[in-house]
């Protein structure tokens, strides 16, 4: 609406400038007429000429205003690094942007070779738009994956209802605070070990209601976008998440959340849970159940807690997974983490309706600033051992430093130590790793 | 040209406003001179000052006009969901857009498991532009495919000749009305069974001439973009299509078309024709010749008929395919379909020079409208049985409902029944299916 | 800065127009006051009214200027075929563009079947931007490759230092003039045979300093973006290049360059050098070492010479490669080429700080011009035979014609003859080929 105000303002200004100009001339003419210097006939002729010229001027300025408005029907912005275009009437918009994350990691192995190296972790572009005010869409592709697997967000939203938004397409199931928070804004480079239980994205339909102090989302989901088993029924699921934020101030937040994710397996009837050592350069899983077969369904439940007190933040989650099988006892896996972060430069984690958002440095590098500097630490734990399944149990301690020179840039360094590995592909090993990331978002 | 008119209009207005302003002052001065109130010397001095000021004003306004024109050298639009930018001089343009189609299907199988599920059917973005007025280009990529296979349109056009356009690159062979019509605007979710004979896209060069009542296109084509057989000659083809529209009014169309597509096989000497049950979620072919070897060439011929009478439309096509083999008798396959559609909300199918175009709802959801609602029905038939090749014969009855809330959105539901399957991978089976699609284009 | 000047110019003009307008009225009033036609009270009243109106006008015009500036915060351009948007304050920018190259080739084989056909050689789009003035980024994807392999440039630059730019991410190692020159602007369709030694792109960090008469670049690199060996250390490398241009005038250049590229192999310990017959449609390598195992490291060194004298240009490079092995003698391969080109239409090859840039035709097709026409010829040689490795030795003579109808378009035809093939996969064969390319960049 800002744009439309600008245009209306321009028009009003142009009109008013014209109406004021020359009033001193009219005053002079009136004086000269009163003085008798200008006679009645001359006076009338002058008034008529003023009238005609004023009408002509008015008409021309109306046309000018109209044409100026026509030229300025959209607002174009590049000051976030990407491109944002929106129509003046707030009916249409299009954003073009993306993110690139480049990682490098060095491993201090303890048996299994992990593999020092580099990796483009994510290279995404997205198009996000608004159509006819009430409809929104997003398509986001990750070039580090092939074909359909690279399709991340691909959804349509309807925002025409008062308090409920409807989403259709491919998007994240509502599960885990660390998953609802963009990978651009996690406190450590990779998410915590219980990410093994991530639901990820499925093709589905979801209703969401968001309020200052609470949110709720519930959806029905089909299978993953890359699943295309010819001649086999795909899996499906039901997912819901509720969050409460009894305290939601700018630098003071108390967030509580619960979520549940039920999934019926497709005809393949298998599931697998696995996780790397909070790194993705290596490719080595430190816990891995392998393919568990004859699975009827899974039920993943989560509990979330987050506290922000000024520059200090704490976030904890517990995930519990139940695997129902056809011919064998049900399996019971779980995991949890507690992480904490602190901005040395005074910023605060930003919270918006059930998830953490981007970091806005208090000062910008290149504008007499040093950017935002953040310390983070985390303890994670996962247990994929149950019954005959020996996926492994592992803990992890991670510490990290993040530097955000601008709101579009991030450089991070993490040191991770894996502890107490019991069973799984790397039984009894305790590797350590140092990992750095460069990230730019636009 | 609209933009350039706007700029010229602005300039003219600014200039004319300046020339009119103050003419009453000149009149007054002349009067006062005549009255003797202003003496000759004063009069000359005033006239000189008016002259100088007028020149200064004129020069400044010329500069202002020039600078205004410079600022407004492009027109940016987002009111179709995508981004459209064009230069004021009509020499350059760039459009950024795409489409996403999300499908879900449920099968009532009759033997072979089809596989209920979901699928991103198409997820495309495109860049289309104009360069130096006469040259156009388009590159369109589909993220549901991997690598080269995802390259759809990738062509350059030259439009500098009077009635003929030249196209070079990767684009659709001119064959079948249902193929020339974008997948965004088909009356049913998937194209009819004879789509088994689609030529698809090849790398080639084509000349096209388009007129109100007729079009012709003829081209020489190499092989598919994804074919890269090291050390083997690729196939090539000749293709032509002619369409006639003796009646071409806004809501009244009679379209007739014929097309022929000759292809010489490459060194692999094989062809294959197959088709799913007018669904792509399943992945199961109901007719399939398998790989036919020792093939010299194929000749596909088609005949098209389309009638639009107000909100009612009918479309019929017949395809006939001849497979010439080295050491065996030639093969003869064919297929046809008749489809009909009706807009409950009064719209009419839009026709443009040999193909059907997009749907513009008479009213828009969110602007006191209900969008466009369309009913459609189709009977399709295909026969891939000949000589020893038992690819199968099948018929299909499909009915559908389309809802276009805006011109950028489409929601469709189809019910398809497969009939009379004879031979092929699903001999004697008559599956039925229900399929829905959500689509947004931008 | 051009944009900001425009805005400031607009504001100054508007202000100055207002201050000049009506000075003749003030003159008249003063005269009438001197004449006694206007008395002192009237004179004061008129002066006051002029003062007030002038202040009002001034204020309104300040607002108008301010709002005009607000509307015009970015500059949008499409006159290069792509999209370029930059903010008026020179702090942010975003370019969207790409290139498509479509090839077709016919082979006159001499034994090994090469395979006539067509190919989309490159189909790239890129996003390039500037953020907070000092930071730049680029992401470029090639749709002819799958997944990670398609990621070309994906780097971030910091330009805040005085003479040194820092680059982080995935980009080309600094090696070979023919590699530093974009594939859009090579004189022949494909690069010369010694391209077998290309370092290509790696994930790394590099410092560059560029001056009119010399440049230097040195970097530390990890492995290729597509290398993701789970559980194996990746390779790494050091690379540097220095160029000198004692003569660097608009149409007169003398360029000298040296470069060195050391790479330590990863845990796979293998390298391979191979090259096709200066064509990529075929896919057949005419020289190929196959996988050389137990390799410790490679050292590639290069020397460059380029001369431009008006429309005439000559370019020569020599590449020498040393392969250090664990249990066998070191291997020694080399290659060189000399190429020459001449613009029939008078243009000159453009040189910019260590690399050749784009061609700007003196006249444009469609604007009464014929574009730029260029002849090119090249002799290339490569030797991959050493010790027990018989990768093959081959020479090549290529002649070509390039037509650039506009600066965004290129059509090329090349005729290549392969000579003196000794060992390798196509021993003693001398194939010839004719190849054409259509290219558009935007």
């Amino acid at each position: 609406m800002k744009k439309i105000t600008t245009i209306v303002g321009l028009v009003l200004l142009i009109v008013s400038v014209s109406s004021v100009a020359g009033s001193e001339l009219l005053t002079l003419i009136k004086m000269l007429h009163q003085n008798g210097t200008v006679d009645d006939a001359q006076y009338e002729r002058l008034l008529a000429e003023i009238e005609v010229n004023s009408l002509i001027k008015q008409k021309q300025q109306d046309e000018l205003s109209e044409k100026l408005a026509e030229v300025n029907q959209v607002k174009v912005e590049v000051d976030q690094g990407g491109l944002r275009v929106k129509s003046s009437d707030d009916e249409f918009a299009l954003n073009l942007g993306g993110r690139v994350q480049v990682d490098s990691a060095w491993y201090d192995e303890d048996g299994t070779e992990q593999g020092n190296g580099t990796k483009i972790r994510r290279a995404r572009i997205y198009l996000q738009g608004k159509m006819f005010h009430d409809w929104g869409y997003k398509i986001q592709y990750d070039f580090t994956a092939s074909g359909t697997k690279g399709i991340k967000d691909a959804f349509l939203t309807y925002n025409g209802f008062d308090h409920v938004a409807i989403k259709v397409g491919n998007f994240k199931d509502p599960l885990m605070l660390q998953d609802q928070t963009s990978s651009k804004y996690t406190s450590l480079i990779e998410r915590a070990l219980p990410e093994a239980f991530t639901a990820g994205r499925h093709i589905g339909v979801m209703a969401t209601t968001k309020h200052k102090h609470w949110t709720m989302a519930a959806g029905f989901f089909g299978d993953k976008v890359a699943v295309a088993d010819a001649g086999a029924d795909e899996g499906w699921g039901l997912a819901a998440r509720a969050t409460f934020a009894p305290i939601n101030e700018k630098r003071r937040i108390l967030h509580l959340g619960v979520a549940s994710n039920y999934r019926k397996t497709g005809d393949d009837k298998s599931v697998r849970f696995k996780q790397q050592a909070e790194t993705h350069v290596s490719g080595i899983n430190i816990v891995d159940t392998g393919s568990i077969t004859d699975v009827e369904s899974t039920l993943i439940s989560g509990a979330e807690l987050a506290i922000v007190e000024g520059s200090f933040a704490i976030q904890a989650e517990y995930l519990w997974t139940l695997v129902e099988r056809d011919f064998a006892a049900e399996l019971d896996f779980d995991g949890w983490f507690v992480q904490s972060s602190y901005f040395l430069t005074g910023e605060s984690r930003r919270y918006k309706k059930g998830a953490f958002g981007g970091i806005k440095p208090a000062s910008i590098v290149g504008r007499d600033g040093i950017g935002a500097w953040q310390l983070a630490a985390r303890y994670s734990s996962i247990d994929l051992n149950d019954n005959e399944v020996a996926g492994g149990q592992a803990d992890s301690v991670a510490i990290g430093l993040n530097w955000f020179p601008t709101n579009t840039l991030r450089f991070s360094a993490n040191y991770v130590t894996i502890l107490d590995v019991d069973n799984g592909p790397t039984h009894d090993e305790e590797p350590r790793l140092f990992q750095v990331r460069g990230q730019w978002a636009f």
Side-chain angles (χ1 to χ4, degrees), chain A:
Chain A
M1 287 305 296
K2 194 185 164 197
K3 176 76 178 192
I4 222 167
T5 319
T6 304
I7 299 298
V8 168
L10 271 174
V11 172
L12 290 178
L13 273 167
I14 289 164
V15 170
S16 61
V17 165
S18 77
S19 65
V20 163
S23 79
E24 56 267 39
L25 180 58
L26 187 60
T27 306
L28 174 64
I29 289 167
K30 281 180 183 163
M31 286 173 180
L32 295 174
H33 182 230
Q34 282 172 335
N35 292 357
T37 312
V38 163
D39 66 27
D40 285 0
Q42 286 175 327
Y43 183 60
E44 290 304 321
R45 194 180 137 203
L46 283 165
L47 284 192
E49 189 166 346
I50 285 176
E51 179 73 20
V52 167
N53 281 348
S54 156
L55 282 175
I56 291 171
K57 212 188 287 183
Q58 187 57 49
K59 184 161 166 289
Q60 289 167 335
Q61 273 157 347
D62 286 355
E63 283 175 40
L64 178 67
S65 307
E66 195 183 304
K67 283 181 192 290
L68 263 177
E70 186 185 303
V71 169
N72 296 295
Q73 276 165 344
V74 297
K75 173 91 175 165
V76 180
E77 292 176 343
V78 283
D79 56 1
Q80 298 304 319
L83 177 70
R84 296 172 182 209
V85 186
K86 54 185 169 182
S87 66
S88 309
D89 58 8
D90 202 30
E91 289 283 300
F92 294 91
L94 183 130
N95 296 347
L96 170 63
R99 82 184 72 165
V100 178
Q101 296 170 341
V102 185
D103 291 1
S104 188
W106 295 264
Y107 299 92
D108 182 5
E109 291 109 353
D110 182 22
T112 306
E113 172 88 27
Q114 295 268 347
N116 301 340
T118 55
K119 185 189 180 86
I120 303 272
R121 179 67 170 98
R122 291 177 180 90
R124 297 185 181 178
I125 59 164
Y126 73 83
L127 280 171
Q128 186 172 29
K130 181 196 270 197
M131 304 188 296
F132 297 96
H133 193 273
D134 288 339
W135 306 85
Y137 66 88
K138 186 173 183 183
I139 174 164
Q140 185 188 39
Y141 192 81
D142 195 327
F143 291 114
T144 63
S146 280
T148 319
K149 273 190 188 171
I151 299 176
K152 300 298 166 189
D153 289 328
F155 60 75
L156 182 70
T157 53
Y158 180 72
N159 305 300
F161 299 126
D162 272 355
H163 292 297
V164 176
I166 307 292
K167 215 177 203 180
V168 180
N170 195 52
F171 52 91
K172 279 183 188 168
D173 287 34
L175 183 70
M176 286 200 231
L177 177 55
Q178 73 169 354
D179 262 17
Q180 301 301 307
T181 301
S182 164
S183 71
K184 293 183 286 190
Y185 310 131
T186 52
S187 297
L188 288 130
I189 291 177
E190 295 291 341
R191 295 189 176 102
L193 290 178
E195 185 69 9
F197 302 121
T198 182
R201 290 175 175 87
H202 293 95
I203 296 175
V205 53
M206 184 169 81
T208 310
T209 183
K210 293 187 176 180
H211 305 265
K212 191 177 179 187
H213 291 291
W214 62 280
T215 74
M216 263 189 70
F220 175 75
F221 292 87
D223 220 323
K224 291 204 173 289
V225 74
V227 169
D229 293 324
D233 286 346
E234 298 180 6
W236 56 267
L238 294 167
R241 178 175 179 252
T243 73
F244 314 89
I247 304 171
N248 184 0
E249 296 162 20
K250 212 169 176 187
R251 294 172 59 86
R252 211 151 170 266
I253 292 145
L254 172 59
H255 160 101
L256 301 163
V258 290
S260 204
N261 199 296
Y262 171 84
R263 288 204 57 84
K264 187 87 173 55
T265 50
D267 282 354
D268 65 329
K269 298 221 143 218
S270 73
V271 296
R272 179 180 179 185
F273 300 98
K274 59 192 170 68
Q275 196 63 11
Q276 301 181 35
E278 297 183 355
T279 173
H280 270 73
V281 176
S282 155
I284 298 294
N285 293 311
I286 56 163
V287 289
D288 186 354
T289 61
S291 179
I292 306 175
T293 52
D294 293 319
V295 173
E296 190 61 32
S297 66
T298 58
L299 179 67
I300 307 178
S301 302
E304 314 163 4
L305 168 73
I307 297 164
V308 173
E309 178 64 53
S311 295
F312 177 80
I314 197 160
Q315 180 180 342
E317 295 194 61
Y318 175 73
L319 273 296
W320 175 62
T321 295
L322 210 61
V323 180
E324 202 74 47
R325 295 189 287 180
D326 284 336
F327 314 109
E330 75 177 26
L331 298 167
D332 189 342
F333 304 132
D334 67 352
W336 58 271
F337 72 92
V338 180
Q339 80 184 20
S340 167
S341 60
Y342 181 74
F343 280 103
L344 300 169
T345 39
E347 292 82 357
S348 186
R349 271 197 106 179
R350 300 202 308 160
Y351 177 82
K352 204 179 166 191
K353 297 174 178 170
F356 285 108
I359 282 88
K360 294 231 166 164
S363 72
I364 296 288
V365 170
R367 291 181 178 171
D368 298 328
I370 57 162
W373 291 81
Q374 184 188 28
L375 288 173
R378 183 171 63 200
Y379 195 98
S380 313
S381 180
I382 190 162
D383 183 355
L384 298 180
N385 292 330
D386 196 29
N387 289 338
E388 87 287 1
V389 176
Q393 196 278 337
D395 286 9
S396 161
V397 177
I399 54 170
L401 175 66
N402 300 313
W403 176 41
F404 303 87
T406 73
N407 60 332
T408 59
L409 294 169
R410 169 184 179 171
F411 297 95
S412 298
N414 279 191
Y415 186 78
V416 181
T417 305
I418 301 297
L419 304 169
D420 300 327
V421 179
D422 179 27
N423 284 335
T426 60
H427 176 62
D428 244 5
E429 295 183 18
E430 299 194 342
R432 288 172 296 176
L433 66 102
F434 179 68
Q435 179 163 321
V436 293
R437 168 171 294 177
Q439 169 185 304
W440 65 100
F442 48 95

